[in-house]
Amino acid sequence: MELYKETIRTLHQKLRAGEVTSRQITEAVFARIEAVEPTIHAYIQVMKADAFAQADAVDERLRKGDLEPTYLTGIPLAIKDVICTKGVRTTCGSKILENFIPQYDATVVEKLKQHHPVLIGKANMDEFAMGSSTENSAYGVTRNPWDIERVPGGSSGGSAAAVAAGEAIAALGTDTGGSIRQPAAFCSITGLKPTYGRVSRFGVVAYASSLDQVGPLTKDAFDAAIMMDAISGHDPKDSTSAPVMKPHYAAALTGDIQGLRVGIPKEYFAAGLDPEIEQAVRNAVATLEKLGATCVDVSLPMTQYGVATYYIIAPSEASSNLARYDGVKYGYRTKEYADLMELYTKSRAEGFGAEVIRRIMIGTYALSSGYYDAYYLKAQKVRTLVRQDFENAFKYADVLAAPITPTPPPKLGELASDPLAMYLSDVYTVPINLAGIAAMSVPCGFTSSGLPIGLQLIGGHFQEATLLQTAFAFQEATDFHKIQPEIKK
Ligand code: GLN
């Protein structure tokens, strides 16, 4: 098998055994980037020279025997461009940050670097992570490797497409309302959105601070566990990161889910769900049952309010977070202005894209005096009810199984022209962020026209190990995650 098709785990075994070098793996990935990147456009920037320097340094140290390789040593990884990388331009998919070069690494990058991986590029994304299709990027659209006329999902669409297309072995993304899980589902890879507080947000450019989490996009659950082992844990630099013990995720994977209680939330199988997706998800549940799990019906009655609640809270937080881009301290500044107020307004109007402006306006409105109680405060109250829904369900189940999206990946342009339809497509992912719990996306089938389908596994607070165990068991019994796309130009 070509090296770019392999997982972190198998490449690590080969590297350790001296069968391949990090340079050979990196060469395979860059050859792939040369072949498919003009079609897919997964990256805003690739750092080819730096990547080979990192690979050669790893090989040299391994040869000398002064480096004990961990799973990620010498492995090519992509980083979503919302995550700060020291000395490397970090745009967030926005024109307003076209020249922003961070002075420091995000904690997640610093933690990865302790393992000496090869950082190959900054992945494309919806501007400031606002979107579900990666069409809201100031740096062009990313295409779905399974069908280049379709979107890869978003906002971590570049990260997902890069992994699916073999342009990276694994990637980091962020998930505020589905942005890891939904592109993972659309690109047929594995994605994990950790519990809020499990992974540090330090150095991750804020979209909606009470919802944002960093997580892995990988070829399988084992690789996701490896990435989680590297990036998770308490960080004194992020006051919202949780000072709780973390398990050793990869070492705990046995594939044994005997006695696991799987809850089926009936509201996630309601009208509007594509019948082929419903069938694939139900088949996946049957597979879990064969592996020893028991199923129980559960209800999450607040599901119907999830989208409305999220699209008040997320834009409200965004409107506040994005106030810092004023043309003075950061990024893009307009060329001509008469006074300070015009400097602010013109820089922001020219620097931000349409979707970001729309959300700043919605958020500013929802937070303004006279409307605050009716919108923001009300949304916060409903958010509590959404969380209680899950707490109730987890009395009867260890994990919940559901779809990720109501439809397969849409055609390019289909949702970009209809923001409301785009928001509604987040119906199965946003409640998880509102509740602050963990969830995964796992490949579970294809539609009759060959488009990927994702299974969502939802766990309680800090239950990542249970999710990974369930996903790992499922992947030991199925091959969906092993099928890779043939990119038709
Ligand atoms: N699609 C959702 C939004 O546009 C979620 C994005 C995300 O998770 N970053 O806000």
Side-chain angles (χ1 to χ4, degrees), residues 288-303:
L288 294 175
E289 279 185 300
K290 270 193 222 125
L291 294 168
T294 53
C295 286
V296 47
D297 289 327
V298 296
S299 175
L300 300 168
M302 289 295 143
T303 302

Side-chain angles (χ1 to χ4, degrees), residues 194-355:
T195 305
Y196 184 78
R198 180 54 105 186
V199 177
S200 169
R201 293 185 297 111
F202 178 79
V204 180
V205 178
Y207 160 18
S209 307
S210 77
L211 302 160
D212 300 340
Q213 267 292 290
V214 179
L217 293 113
T218 55
K219 287 182 185 141
D220 64 21
F222 196 96
D223 279 8
I226 292 172
M227 294 285 278
M228 281 300 290
D229 279 327
I231 64 170
S232 62
H234 178 239
D235 177 12
K237 290 186 193 143
D238 171 7
S239 59
T240 63
S241 95
V244 291
M245 288 282 292
K246 63 163 185 163
H248 193 318
Y249 296 109
L253 296 176
T254 60
D256 180 7
I257 55 164
Q258 200 67 42
L260 183 85
R261 298 171 306 162
V262 179
I264 315 296
K266 70 166 191 262
E267 292 79 4
Y268 283 56
F269 296 86
L273 175 60
D274 181 281
E276 288 187 307
I277 295 183
E278 168 156 11
Q279 196 52 53
V281 171
R282 293 206 187 271
N283 292 347
V285 170
T287 303
L288 294 175
E289 279 185 300
K290 270 193 222 125
L291 294 168
T294 53
C295 286
V296 47
D297 289 327
V298 296
S299 175
L300 300 168
M302 289 295 143
T303 302
Q304 56 177 317
Y305 305 114
V307 169
T309 306
Y310 173 87
Y311 278 101
I312 294 293
I313 292 175
S316 295
E317 294 185 13
S319 72
S320 164
N321 277 326
L322 272 55
R324 73 191 69 174
Y325 306 104
D326 56 8
V328 178
K329 296 188 288 292
Y330 290 96
Y332 176 82
R333 179 181 295 180
T334 188
K335 301 286 166 289
E336 283 169 37
Y337 45 91
D339 54 24
L340 186 63
M341 191 50 81
E342 199 175 291
L343 164 68
Y344 291 155
T345 51
K346 278 183 75 185
S347 297
R348 286 167 69 82
E350 292 163 15
F352 288 134
E355 182 61 27

Side-chain angles (χ1 to χ4, degrees), residues 11 16 102 128 233 314 346 413 418:
L11 289 170
R16 226 192 150 90
F128 286 103
K346 278 183 75 185
D418 188 350

Side-chain angles (χ1 to χ4, degrees), residues 80 129-132 154-155 174-179 207 310-311 359 426:
K80 186 179 182 179
M130 297 177 191
S132 310
S155 64
T174 58
D175 191 313
T176 303
S179 281
Y207 160 18
Y310 173 87
Y311 278 101
R359 297 205 190 182
D426 293 336

